Amino acid sequence: PRRRSDSDDAPPPRGTPLWKRAPAEVWNELRKHGWTYAPAKKDLKYVWHYRRPGCNAGADATFGVDYFGTEEQVVAFIKKKKVDLKTTFGHLDEDERPPTPPEASGRKPRRAALAKGGPARGKSPPRAKWAPPFQAAWVRLRKLGWEWRYGPGGVTHWCRPGLCDNMTKVPPESKENVHYFADERSVLAWANHWRVS
């Protein structure tokens, strides 16, 4: 084993990204940025679940996506994703998941709908451009410059492009449902109303 030296107790140089810091520091910093933990109910392998911000905490939560079983797994994830707590925070919204194909989501493809007396060719049913699932819509909105920041109590705020440039929080003069949004439904409603593309 390596001998302990005084340099082991020295804080990391200012500005060191989280993924380059000592494992003992990582979890304490993540807790300040919305990560949580809870007893692992009905899980025989782990005592705790370490949850990402924005995760699905329900029975259908996915191990390795929504939560982890040990601090070591969290640290490995932080290193893999290069979480720096400036531009990346390990929030679930940062994952770029491709939209679920219609067959996998249970929705019928358009061709099948037409064969069963669906809308006539050349006419599409009126449909909102920005529709659930939110995760797929969010991937597209991120490419258009939308961002998210934490609000009071760790609540996620989804911000319109340009609002939070070079800022870690939503500016105090910003207005909810104008500059930023506190729920997914409001984001999609605004994007549809203003025909964001």
Side-chain angles (χ1 to χ4, degrees):
R2 187 169 68 89
R3 281 182 56 194
R4 185 174 173 78
S5 69
D6 292 338
S7 63
D8 290 342
D9 294 327
R14 188 176 177 92
T16 302
L18 184 67
W19 63 275
K20 288 186 174 181
R21 295 191 202 172
E25 270 187 87
V26 171
W27 180 247
N28 288 333
E29 288 301 314
L30 289 174
R31 289 198 59 199
K32 297 174 191 173
H33 290 85
W35 285 66
T36 59
Y37 67 97
K41 298 175 183 174
K42 299 181 182 177
D43 187 336
L44 301 177
K45 190 169 183 179
Y46 300 108
V47 176
W48 298 99
H49 283 175
Y50 297 85
R51 298 176 178 162
R52 296 172 64 188
C55 76
N56 173 5
D60 55 344
T62 305
F63 175 78
V65 175
D66 295 298
Y67 71 93
F68 301 92
T70 65
E71 287 187 29
E72 291 78 16
Q73 292 168 352
V74 172
V75 170
F77 172 82
I78 296 305
K79 287 182 178 179
K80 178 181 174 187
K81 294 287 188 176
K82 293 189 170 28
V83 171
D84 58 11
L85 298 181
K86 288 187 173 75
T87 57
T88 55
F89 297 84
H91 195 289
L92 198 70
D93 288 341
E94 294 171 2
D95 292 354
E96 298 231 344
R97 297 180 183 171
T100 308
E103 296 81 7
S105 68
R107 292 176 298 185
K108 295 180 180 174
R110 180 168 164 71
R111 190 175 297 144
L114 288 171
K116 294 197 173 193
R121 291 198 185 272
K123 292 185 180 179
S124 299
R127 186 177 156 216
K129 179 177 181 181
W130 298 96
F134 183 76
Q135 185 65 35
W138 182 244
V139 169
R140 292 166 49 210
L141 287 168
R142 290 270 303 208
K143 290 178 182 173
L144 294 172
W146 285 65
E147 298 181 62
W148 62 269
R149 295 290 186 269
Y150 290 115
V155 174
T156 303
H157 288 161
W158 290 274
C159 307
R160 289 175 51 198
L163 177 67
C164 298
D165 290 347
N166 302 317
M167 301 180 81
T168 57
K169 294 185 178 178
V170 175
E173 67 276 7
S174 305
K175 293 183 180 175
E176 186 174 342
N177 295 325
V178 175
H179 302 110
Y180 71 92
F181 305 88
D183 65 85
E184 298 170 356
R185 221 175 324 164
S186 298
V187 173
L188 298 179
W190 192 92
N192 280 314
H193 178 76
W194 293 101
R195 298 181 180 166
V196 173
S197 60

